[in-house]
Amino acid sequence: MKPTAHHWMLTALFVSSWSPAALAQAASTGGPTRMQELDAAIVELKASQAEAPANMKDGVARQVTALENSKKLQQMVDDANAQTKAHRPALTEEQKSFFTPVAPEKLPVWIPDTLTRAQAKEDMLKCPAGAKVFADAHALDCRIPGPRGSIPMPHGLALWFYKSTGKLKGQRFYENGLLRWAIAYHHTGGRDTEGRYDDAKPKQHREHGLHTGYAPNGTVIRQAEYTSGVLQGWSRVWEDDGYPMGATRYEKGKNVERRGHGTGNP
């Protein structure tokens, strides 16, 4: 399959969707930092710009400029956090227990996180009966071909790779067009997010069960429970070095309790 303008738009949106708060989180020393992730994201956007259609190049260039500006903010926040870490209150045993991350959802993956596009072979996808591999320079996925002129339906594993490095960008598993689980990866390597889905309709993704997010250094920074796309139970967030920021408990998507900074609860 040949890349389309839609693919370039998705690439730009993927990076531009980061909020200033997410970009401003403190980096720790145990792995890639937020600054290194920003640098890698800029390299990726420039690689996308080189391949993008003429009418998309200016938009990607604006995204590069935005990330370059974000690096200045990131450096300011890193400096400020280095000074405030020494003054953070010690955690009680109850807080340590409550904010200890639980084991992430075990997904039925068979593709290693370190796979590159150069290493990827079609038979690795193990497409289910009726599906075949569709491949281009940066992706391979299992789909069920439809009538001539129609879009083949995702069925089985789908893999995407970064243009700049060939590293794994994401993998998803579908059943007859319905998403069942997904993993996204940082530009610098390592998982970004992972979790299961229980879609009832194509392209209307519903998180289900525990979803986990990671900092570029590999630290768990977010865990949330869902029931068919609705938050249910505790949602917890941490700094990039594992220090807890706070937690919110949901009942059928409604915020019913908070714990952490500024809430009056430990």
Side-chain angles (χ1 to χ4, degrees):
M1 296 186 300
K2 294 183 178 180
T4 65
H6 181 63
H7 290 135
W8 310 117
M9 181 69 76
L10 287 178
T11 299
L13 289 176
F14 176 79
V15 176
S16 65
S17 65
W18 296 344
S19 68
L23 291 171
Q25 290 192 43
S28 72
T29 59
T33 64
R34 292 280 174 183
M35 190 69 77
Q36 290 170 325
E37 177 68 11
L38 282 170
D39 285 335
I42 290 170
V43 172
E44 175 66 15
L45 275 176
K46 288 181 177 179
S48 296
Q49 183 184 29
E51 297 183 14
N55 63 337
M56 299 293 296
K57 290 183 181 293
D58 288 346
V60 178
R62 287 192 291 271
Q63 298 301 326
V64 171
T65 300
L67 289 189
E68 291 284 6
N69 291 333
S70 295
K71 290 177 59 178
K72 301 175 184 178
L73 172 62
Q74 183 67 59
Q75 187 60 61
M76 293 172 59
V77 173
D78 287 349
D79 293 343
N81 281 343
Q83 298 178 20
T84 60
K85 281 183 180 180
H87 304 290
R88 293 188 303 198
L91 301 176
T92 66
E93 291 304 315
E94 178 186 359
Q95 288 172 325
K96 291 179 181 178
S97 177
F98 179 77
F99 280 103
T100 297
V102 301
E105 185 80 26
K106 188 173 179 59
L107 304 178
V109 299
W110 65 89
I111 297 296
D113 293 345
T114 56
L115 184 74
T116 65
R117 180 63 183 91
Q119 297 168 334
K121 307 300 180 185
E122 292 190 5
D123 59 358
M124 291 180 176
L125 273 68
K126 303 178 182 179
C127 292
K132 57 180 274 188
V133 175
F134 288 74
D136 62 28
H138 309 297
L140 298 91
D141 58 336
C142 297
R143 292 176 176 266
I144 298 176
R148 183 181 296 274
S150 65
I151 299 176
M153 180 174 64
H155 184 57
L157 189 64
L159 304 175
W160 293 270
F161 299 86
Y162 285 111
K163 298 177 176 66
S164 56
T165 62
K167 293 180 179 179
L168 198 55
K169 180 178 181 179
Q171 55 176 315
R172 292 183 171 191
F173 190 85
Y174 294 87
E175 292 179 348
N176 296 310
L178 306 178
L179 184 60
R180 294 305 180 223
W181 56 262
I183 303 171
Y185 296 86
H186 288 290
H187 296 78
T188 46
R191 296 188 180 188
D192 182 359
T193 60
E194 61 179 325
R196 292 183 183 270
Y197 293 78
D198 71 342
D199 292 11
K201 297 181 180 179
K203 299 181 181 181
Q204 296 184 14
H205 302 320
R206 305 190 309 189
E207 301 92 339
H208 193 71
L210 179 67
H211 278 240
T212 300
Y214 304 88
N217 62 29
T219 301
V220 172
I221 56 171
R222 181 178 183 270
Q223 288 193 312
E225 291 275 0
Y226 293 86
T227 299
S228 296
V230 178
L231 284 163
Q232 179 68 30
W234 283 104
S235 176
R236 297 173 173 84
V237 291
W238 296 263
E239 300 275 7
D240 282 13
D241 64 356
Y243 190 84
M245 297 176 65
T248 304
R249 184 168 65 87
Y250 294 89
E251 291 184 2
K252 297 181 179 180
K254 183 179 180 180
N255 173 0
V256 296
E257 183 180 357
R258 290 183 178 176
R259 297 182 67 171
H261 304 310
T263 64
N265 297 316

